[in-house]
């Protein structure tokens, strides 16, 4: 009987395994690469890189909840204030009974660490150091953290409105004691210094431990001196560093903005460690392609995503050794939003400036545009699809790696290449598409054919202005490797003279990608020829096209931005001249 | 979404906190020393040896912003309207009264001093006739112009009938009393004019009609002002009223301050605390 049962269960297990493998056995090819073993993640199974709090995160979360619980009781049940005070006084009396001259001297010395000028020196020093290394994320994260702690502390002090401890007070004080702002200021200052100045390392962890010990000693000294109740000190000690942890995690996460003492390092996601492994797993399961290595690729030319090169296992490659991928995260989503906001303020809604609501939406849009370009016959890399790394937070867009291609400005540009490149622009015009970022790094030549990359930044049914700018940008980079007369002559085969005139009437310094701008400047320096002006001379004359679009939204945003900037400046000025946050 | 929930909870807590009235508030005069408010205690802790501490009897209409600032050695109530502070009442351990004048104090055990610059609401004009005929004319003019208002402020006319005295001396006296001076001579009586004099020795504005003189005056008179200090000095401390008011708020500020701000028996509060087992002063 038992044996029958075992046999039955073995058969069932075998069938289940076989069924599980049905999906994995499907095999096909994309761009010559074998795709096999795709697998659906069943319900309940963790994502490749699940979002999780580590031990420190749990600790801070618990601290935050404990602080919240104390405040909740103080706010909702005012009588609990008396209970807290009684407990506090028991501790205070214990200290008061043990006061001696020597302990008082030590306590006052420790309490001096909360002095306004000491903290001011630390804070301004930190900010100056961050300015020097141009780490603006960390700079603003520090300001934001200090501002939140100060504003929240003052608000709660006002709301709780508690007297100082009912004992003889041996040190100077100001305002109500809950939470203890001097202690909170010291704790948050040490926390932001550690998070913004020290790279993630044992040194940082050791510094945090030492900072914690210093803050605890100062807290005990303030209770000893009768300036704060124990609960005032405890809440400040928990709350202030928790704000620093949360702000830095949200605003300058270590994975994206690691602390480094190199100047002006661009921010990209770290793809080593857990994330690197998660990428390999996710690509294997969701695309059916085995990746053996993940490495950053061409990061200097990309700000909107983290570009990667995925090295394939020899079995899967079939001659194609690599795939190209772009990793998108919430940080990139926020960057996209700021970029669009900045454009709207500077130019108005020249084109679609509606922000994406999630990383998923951003990736879906870019994947769609990439496929639409391909379907419309625009020569570009073959898309492999979207890979989910962390649901709603991180996605990877994978496409063909154009092995053996070179930038247009590094290739031999002859009439065929010129015709091909201009033909690509013509195709996009005909298909109602625009690339929006035509620059040397995005126009490749492979097997004597022009291929566009980074097409996902493109748009459907662009404004005539944007289409004209695409044409001008392509003509400019072609002329860098040939001459404007030849490019103009070949362009007339595919575009009307009026089109070309419009393209250069729309061209401004700001409409040229920065890479093209610097190439043009270098060209002018070496040859004395301004290519844009040369094209304008060749084309029929045309009135410059304004790139300013005014709308009530732009006016409101501009007023809001100016107001915020003035507010920020006035806060910084008043803090520097007066006292408080800095 | 989670952020919205969190914000909602925080806002609800803040709203509850405000409705529960557990905020520090202001030191109240009507609370007995055995049952003080948190603000009374905090103010007492600032200067624990002071016999009195400032407290609020009742706020006056127009005292829109009242802020309590407390630190060791000092507690103050800042009172203002539309971002402009017109009164600060502060409690300190000592204060400098060397430039102030002693005045009667109604507060037991306290000395009072004042150092004030006041521009009253009433605009005083002294008519100084140079002879008998001008004197009669001035008296008639003062009668006729009674009830005159400038910028909604009453104008008070008085006639200096000491026509035997030197005009220069009479002008000096009037200016010393912060009065505006109109001199009337025989020619002025004939022509219905007067001379407005700003200084005792200088040339005045001659040949002005009454209407023209009032117009000139309208440009000259400063705003109603109440500036300066009151000091109450007592055992262990000093309460200073620092006035800086102009315009309508200055008109009744002295009365309003006297009514609204009271003196809390700080010594009694400290003693009540000691009896309850809380020692706030080193013995």
């Amino acid at each position: 009987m038992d044996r029958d049962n075992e046999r039955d269960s073995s058969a069932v297990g075998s069938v289940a395994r076989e069924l599980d493998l049905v999906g994995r056995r499907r095999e096909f090819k994309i761009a010559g690469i074998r795709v096999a073993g795709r697998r659906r993640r069943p319900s309940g199974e963790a994502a490749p890189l699940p979002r999780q709090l580590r031990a420190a995160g749990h600790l801070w979360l618990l601290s935050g909840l404990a602080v919240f619980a104390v405040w909740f009781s103080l706010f909702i049940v005012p009588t609990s204030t008396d209970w807290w005070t009684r407990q506090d006084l028991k501790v205070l009396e214990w200290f008061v009974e043990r006061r001696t001259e020597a302990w008082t001297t030590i306590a006052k010395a420790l309490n001096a660490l909360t002095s306004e000028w000491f903290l001011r020196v630390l804070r301004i020093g930190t900010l100056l150091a961050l300015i020097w290394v141009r780490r603006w994320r960390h700079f603003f994260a520090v300001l934001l953290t200090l501002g939140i702690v100060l504003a929240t502390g003052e608000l709660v002090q006002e709301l709780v409105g508690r007297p100082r401890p009912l004992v003889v007070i041996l040190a100077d004080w100001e305002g109500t004691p809950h939470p203890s702002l001097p202690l909170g200021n010291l704790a948050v200052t040490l926390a932001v210094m550690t998070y913004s100045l020290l790279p993630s390392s044992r040194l940082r962890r050791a510094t945090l431990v030492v900072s914690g010990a210093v803050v605890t000693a100062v807290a005990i000294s303030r209770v000893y001196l009768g300036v704060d109740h124990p609960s005032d000190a405890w809440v400040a000690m928990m709350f202030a560093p928790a704000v620093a942890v949360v702000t830095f995690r949200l605003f300058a996460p270590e994975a994206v903005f690691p602390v480094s003492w190199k100047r002006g390092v661009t921010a990209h996601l770290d793809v080593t460690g857990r994330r690197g492994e998660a990428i390999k797993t996710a690509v294997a399961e969701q695309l059916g392609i085995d990746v053996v290595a993940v490495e950053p690729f061409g990061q200097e030319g990309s700000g909107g995503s983290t570009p990667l090169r995925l090295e394939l296992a020899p079995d899967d490659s079939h001659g194609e050794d690599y795939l190209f991928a772009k990793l998108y995260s919430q940080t990139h989503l926020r960057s996209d939003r700021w970029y669009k906001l900045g454009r709207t303020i500077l130019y108005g809604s020249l084109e679609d400036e509606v922000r994406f609501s999630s990383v998923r939406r951003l990736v879906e849009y870019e994947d769609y545009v990439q496929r639409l370009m391909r379907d419309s016959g625009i020569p570009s890399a073959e898309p492999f699809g979207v890979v989910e790394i962390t649901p709603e937070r991180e996605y990877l867009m994978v496409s063909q790696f154009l092995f053996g291609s070179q930038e247009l400005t590094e290739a031999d540009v002859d009439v065929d290449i010129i015709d091909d490149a201009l033909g690509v622009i013509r195709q996009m015009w005909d298909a109602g598409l625009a690339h929006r970022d035509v620059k040397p790094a995005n126009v490749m030549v492979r097997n004597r054919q022009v291929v566009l990359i980074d097409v996902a930044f493109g748009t459907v049914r662009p404004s005539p202005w944007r289409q004209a700018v695409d044409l001008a940008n392509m003509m400019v980079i072609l002329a860098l490797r040939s001459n404007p007369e030849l490019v103009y002559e070949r362009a007339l085969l595919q575009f009307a003279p009026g089109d070309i005139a419009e393209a250069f009437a729309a061209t401004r310094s700001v409409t040229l990608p920065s890479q093209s701008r610097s190439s043009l400047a270098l060209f002018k320096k070496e040859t004395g020829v301004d290519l844009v002006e040369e094209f304008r001379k060749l084309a029929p004359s045309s009135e410059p096209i304004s790139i300013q679009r005014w709308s009530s939204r732009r006016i409101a945003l501009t007023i809001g931005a100016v107001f915020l900037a003035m507010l920020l400046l006035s806060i910084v000025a008043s803090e520097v001249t007066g006292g408080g946050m800095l | 979404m989670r952020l919205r929930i969190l914000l909602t909870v925080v806002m609800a807590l803040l709203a509850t906190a405000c409705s529960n009235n557990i905020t520090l508030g202001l030191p109240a005069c009507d609370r007995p020393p055995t049952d003080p408010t948190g603000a009374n205690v905090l103010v007492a802790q600032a200067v624990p040896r002071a016999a009195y501490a400032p407290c609020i009897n009742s706020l006056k209409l127009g005292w829109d912003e009242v802020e309590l600032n407390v630190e060791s050695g000092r507690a103050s109530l800042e009172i203002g309207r539309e971002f402009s502070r017109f009164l600060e009442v502060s409690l300190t351990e000592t204060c400098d009264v060397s430039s102030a004048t002693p005045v009667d104090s109604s507060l037991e055990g306290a000395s009072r001093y004042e150092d004030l610059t006041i521009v009253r609401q009433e605009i005083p004009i002294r008519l100084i006739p140079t002879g008998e005929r001008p004197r009669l004319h001035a008296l008639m003019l003062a009668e006729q112009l009674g009830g005159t208002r400038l910028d909604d402020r009453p104008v008070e006319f008085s006639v200096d009938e000491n026509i035997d005295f030197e005009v220069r001396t009479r002008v000096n006296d009037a200016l010393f009393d912060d009065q505006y001076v109109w001199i009337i001579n025989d020619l002025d009586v004939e022509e219905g004019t007067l001379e407005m004099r700003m200084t005792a020795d200088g040339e005045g504005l001659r040949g002005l009609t009454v209407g023209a003189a009032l117009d000139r005056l309208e440009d000259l008179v400063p705003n109603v002002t109440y500036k300066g200090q009151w000091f109450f000095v007592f055992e262990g401390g000093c309460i200073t009223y620092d006035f800086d008011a102009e315009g309508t708020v200055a008109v009744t500020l002295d009365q309003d301050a006297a009514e609204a701000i009271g003196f809390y028996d700080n010594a009694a509060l400290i003693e009540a605390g000691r009896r309850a087992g809380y020692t706030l002063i080193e013995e």
Side-chain angles (χ1 to χ4, degrees):
Chain A
M1 188 69 173
D2 284 349
R3 199 172 297 160
D4 286 349
N5 278 346
E6 264 177 37
R7 204 166 36 237
D8 285 351
S9 64
S10 162
V12 169
S14 167
V15 169
R17 264 197 308 280
E18 284 303 308
L19 287 173
D20 193 34
L21 291 171
V22 167
R24 296 193 184 202
R25 280 201 297 270
R26 291 186 66 237
E27 186 174 325
F28 52 96
K29 283 187 178 177
I30 301 176
I33 294 175
R34 188 173 73 89
V35 170
R38 290 188 177 195
R39 174 179 171 269
R40 185 187 75 91
R41 177 163 62 90
S43 301
E45 185 178 302
L49 185 64
R51 196 182 177 213
Q52 61 185 45
L53 287 171
R54 293 182 200 162
H58 280 113
L59 191 68
W60 286 117
L61 186 64
L62 280 175
S63 306
L65 287 173
V67 168
F68 200 67
V70 172
W71 283 351
F72 187 84
S73 91
L74 287 170
F75 287 147
I76 301 296
V77 194
T79 49
S80 71
T81 311
D82 296 337
W83 184 86
W84 280 107
T85 303
R86 280 198 298 279
Q87 307 314 309
D88 282 337
L89 283 174
K90 283 180 191 167
V91 180
L92 279 160
E93 280 162 9
W94 187 87
F95 276 108
V96 169
E97 283 166 13
R98 282 155 186 79
R99 280 179 180 173
T100 64
E101 207 168 304
W103 279 119
T104 303
T105 307
I106 294 169
K108 283 184 174 174
L110 282 168
N111 188 40
L113 295 178
T114 61
S115 77
E116 191 181 292
W117 281 103
F118 177 68
L119 295 180
R120 185 170 282 190
V121 167
L122 294 183
R123 290 173 174 193
I124 292 177
T126 304
L127 291 173
L128 289 177
L130 292 172
I131 290 170
W132 186 70
V133 290
R134 296 180 198 162
R135 300 213 65 87
W136 301 112
R137 275 268 167 181
H138 290 97
F139 177 85
F140 285 110
V142 169
L143 278 183
L144 189 64
T145 308
L146 298 179
I148 290 172
V149 169
L150 185 70
T152 315
E154 286 183 347
L155 179 70
V156 175
Q157 275 193 339
E158 183 70 21
L159 289 173
V160 174
R162 182 182 205 192
R164 291 276 156 183
L166 298 176
V167 295
V168 177
I169 300 172
L170 301 181
D172 288 342
W173 51 270
E174 190 178 341
T176 58
H178 187 94
S180 171
L181 260 188
L183 195 62
N185 283 336
L186 174 68
V188 77
T189 302
L190 295 177
V192 296
M193 285 176 73
T194 310
Y195 281 117
S196 65
L197 298 180
L198 294 180
S200 182
S201 60
R202 284 178 66 183
L203 177 64
R204 180 194 274 189
R205 286 190 288 278
T207 308
L208 283 173
V209 170
V210 172
S211 301
V214 169
V215 172
T216 306
V218 174
I220 292 170
S221 76
R222 286 180 67 83
V223 173
Y224 172 92
L225 294 169
V227 191
D228 294 333
H229 299 93
S231 58
D232 307 332
W234 178 75
V235 165
M237 278 171 65
M238 294 295 113
F239 168 71
V243 171
V245 172
V246 172
T247 309
F248 272 80
R249 277 199 169 195
L250 288 177
F251 199 70
E254 187 67 30
V256 192
F257 303 100
V259 175
S260 150
W261 284 97
K262 290 178 198 164
R263 295 178 72 180
V265 181
T266 49
H268 287 295
L269 289 165
D270 176 20
V271 290
T272 58
R274 285 177 64 231
R275 182 175 283 107
E277 290 307 311
I279 288 172
K280 289 179 197 168
T281 307
V283 174
E285 290 188 350
Q286 295 169 39
L287 294 186
I289 298 170
D290 284 335
V291 172
V292 293
V294 179
E295 56 191 31
F297 180 79
Q299 292 194 335
E300 60 286 344
S302 170
S305 64
T306 299
L308 303 171
R309 191 171 68 171
L310 311 180
E311 188 181 340
L312 305 186
D315 280 358
D316 287 346
S317 66
H318 288 264
E320 298 275 353
D321 297 330
Y322 300 101
L323 285 178
F324 179 73
K326 288 165 81 177
L327 185 58
Y328 289 88
S329 70
Q330 289 217 308
T331 308
H332 299 121
L333 179 73
R334 279 193 285 269
S335 299
D336 182 71
R337 288 174 180 174
W338 283 110
Y339 174 72
K340 284 176 172 167
L341 179 68
R343 281 175 55 93
T344 307
I345 289 172
L346 287 175
Y347 311 118
S349 293
L350 261 175
E351 38 198 335
D352 179 23
E353 304 292 5
V354 178
R355 64 184 199 169
F356 292 105
S357 59
S358 65
V359 186
R360 179 192 289 276
R361 292 274 186 277
L362 170 66
V363 173
E364 280 174 351
Y365 174 80
E366 297 214 350
D367 186 52
Y368 163 71
V369 173
Q370 194 173 18
R371 290 174 190 280
L372 189 63
M373 289 271 187
R374 194 82 189 155
D375 289 352
S376 306
I378 313 299
S380 55
E382 187 81 43
F384 277 69
V386 173
V387 175
E388 184 181 66
I389 307 297
T390 306
E392 306 305 329
R393 302 183 73 84
E394 282 186 32
Y395 290 90
L396 191 70
M397 277 182 62
V398 182
S399 60
Q400 182 186 12
F401 188 87
L402 296 172
F403 201 75
S405 60
Q406 58 185 152
E407 278 187 16
L408 181 77
T409 47
E410 290 166 1
D412 290 331
V413 175
D414 56 17
V415 173
D416 291 339
I417 295 284
I418 293 172
D419 288 347
D420 200 17
L422 293 170
V424 169
I425 300 293
R426 181 76 251 177
Q427 267 181 293
M428 285 199 289
W429 280 29
D430 293 343
L433 298 167
H435 184 280
R436 299 207 299 166
D437 198 19
V438 175
K439 61 182 180 184
N442 286 343
V443 184
M444 313 296 283
V445 178
R446 194 189 195 206
N447 301 328
R448 302 298 299 157
Q449 280 198 318
V450 170
V451 183
L452 287 186
I453 63 169
D454 228 357
V455 294
F457 192 59
T459 189
V460 183
R461 290 295 157 207
S463 64
W465 169 84
R466 172 51 75 184
Q467 289 178 306
V469 167
D470 267 3
L471 173 60
N473 287 345
M474 182 63 93
M475 290 178 72
V476 162
I477 59 174
L478 287 168
L480 283 170
R481 294 291 290 169
S482 56
N483 63 74
E485 291 77 12
L486 177 63
V487 174
Y488 182 74
E489 186 186 303
R490 302 309 298 182
L492 287 175
L493 298 175
Q494 303 191 56
F495 299 93
D499 292 335
I500 301 170
E502 184 189 339
F504 286 95
T507 296
R508 301 274 187 294
S509 176
V510 292
T511 65
L512 290 161
S514 57
Q515 192 192 12
S516 301
R517 224 165 29 233
S518 52
S519 300
L520 277 177
L522 186 66
F523 188 85
K524 188 177 177 184
K525 194 176 169 187
E526 287 172 353
T527 63
V529 177
D530 182 337
L531 285 176
V532 174
E533 279 309 311
E534 288 300 308
F535 280 120
R536 283 188 182 137
K537 282 179 199 161
L538 291 166
S541 66
S542 176
E543 284 295 308
I545 296 171
S546 169
I547 58 169
Q548 296 295 336
R549 304 283 185 276
W550 287 99
S551 65
S552 53
R553 182 168 180 268
R554 181 186 179 188
I555 292 167
L557 282 172
T558 307
I559 291 171
V562 169
F563 176 74
L564 275 177
M566 286 172 64
L567 190 67
L568 190 67
L569 279 176
S570 69
I571 288 172
V572 170
S574 70
E575 294 294 336
V576 168
T577 54
M581 193 171 87
L582 296 182
Chain B
M1 189 62 184
R2 273 173 293 177
L3 186 65
R4 278 182 208 162
I5 293 170
L6 184 67
L7 285 176
T8 310
V9 171
V10 170
M11 293 311 291
L13 281 176
L14 295 183
T16 314
C18 295
S19 62
N20 279 344
N21 198 23
I22 62 162
T23 56
L24 183 63
L26 298 169
C29 296
D30 56 1
R31 296 291 285 267
T34 49
D35 183 25
T37 64
N40 286 119
V41 176
L42 200 61
V43 171
Q45 286 177 307
V47 189
R49 292 184 189 279
Y52 296 103
C55 58
I56 300 286
N57 279 317
S58 61
L59 292 175
K60 294 290 175 182
L61 197 67
W63 289 21
D64 299 336
E65 292 148 24
V66 184
E67 190 181 329
L68 172 65
N69 296 303
V70 195
E71 60 185 281
S72 48
R74 190 173 195 275
S76 68
L77 284 162
E78 289 187 8
I79 299 154
R81 177 195 288 177
E82 292 168 4
F83 305 109
S84 162
R85 192 194 75 193
F86 54 76
L87 171 61
E88 181 181 17
V89 182
S90 57
L91 168 67
T92 48
E93 286 169 9
T94 56
C95 52
D96 179 12
V97 295
S98 55
S99 61
T101 311
V103 294
D104 288 340
S105 169
S106 56
L107 185 63
E108 192 186 331
S111 310
R112 179 174 175 171
Y113 302 84
E114 286 184 359
D115 181 9
L116 295 167
T117 305
I118 304 169
V119 176
R120 293 202 310 272
Q121 189 188 24
E122 297 79 22
I123 301 169
I125 298 177
R126 178 76 62 94
L127 302 177
I128 300 181
T130 56
E132 182 54 25
R133 200 166 156 231
R135 185 181 74 83
L136 293 172
H137 182 72
L139 287 169
M140 189 188 67
L141 206 58
E143 174 108 12
Q144 282 176 353
L145 294 173
T148 301
R149 297 181 79 83
L150 268 184
D151 275 346
D152 214 23
R153 291 166 63 179
V155 183
E156 285 180 350
F157 291 93
S158 60
V159 180
D160 179 352
E161 297 188 61
N162 299 314
I163 53 175
D164 299 335
F165 286 28
E166 195 186 351
V167 170
R168 187 169 169 275
T169 311
R170 294 159 68 198
V171 169
N172 247 342
D173 290 348
L175 291 173
F176 185 79
D177 290 340
D178 290 330
Q179 294 180 317
Y180 297 96
V181 174
W182 286 3
I183 301 172
I184 299 171
N185 59 26
D186 286 319
L187 186 63
D188 288 320
V189 176
E190 290 290 326
E191 297 184 352
T193 58
L194 55 87
E195 176 192 352
M196 194 156 75
R197 188 76 73 82
M198 311 300 165
T199 58
D201 301 323
E203 278 288 300
L205 296 167
R206 292 175 189 274
L208 295 174
T209 62
V210 170
L214 286 172
D215 285 346
R216 289 285 180 135
L217 213 53
E218 200 169 1
D219 299 333
L220 286 175
V221 287
N223 271 341
V224 181
T225 303
Y226 199 92
K227 294 185 178 184
Q229 286 93 28
W230 295 352
F231 301 97
F232 291 87
V233 183
F234 41 78
E235 190 186 341
C238 170
I239 293 178
T240 305
Y241 288 62
D242 200 339
F243 297 97
D244 185 11
E246 270 190 37
T248 51
V249 74
V251 176
T252 56
L253 186 57
D254 53 348
Q255 285 172 27
D256 289 347
E259 286 170 16
I261 311 291
F263 298 90
Y264 198 79
D265 193 341
N266 216 30
L269 186 150
I270 297 289
E271 178 56 23
R274 195 187 62 75
R275 273 192 249 114
Y278 303 121
T279 308
L280 302 185
I281 306 175
E282 248 171 327
E283 308 268 319

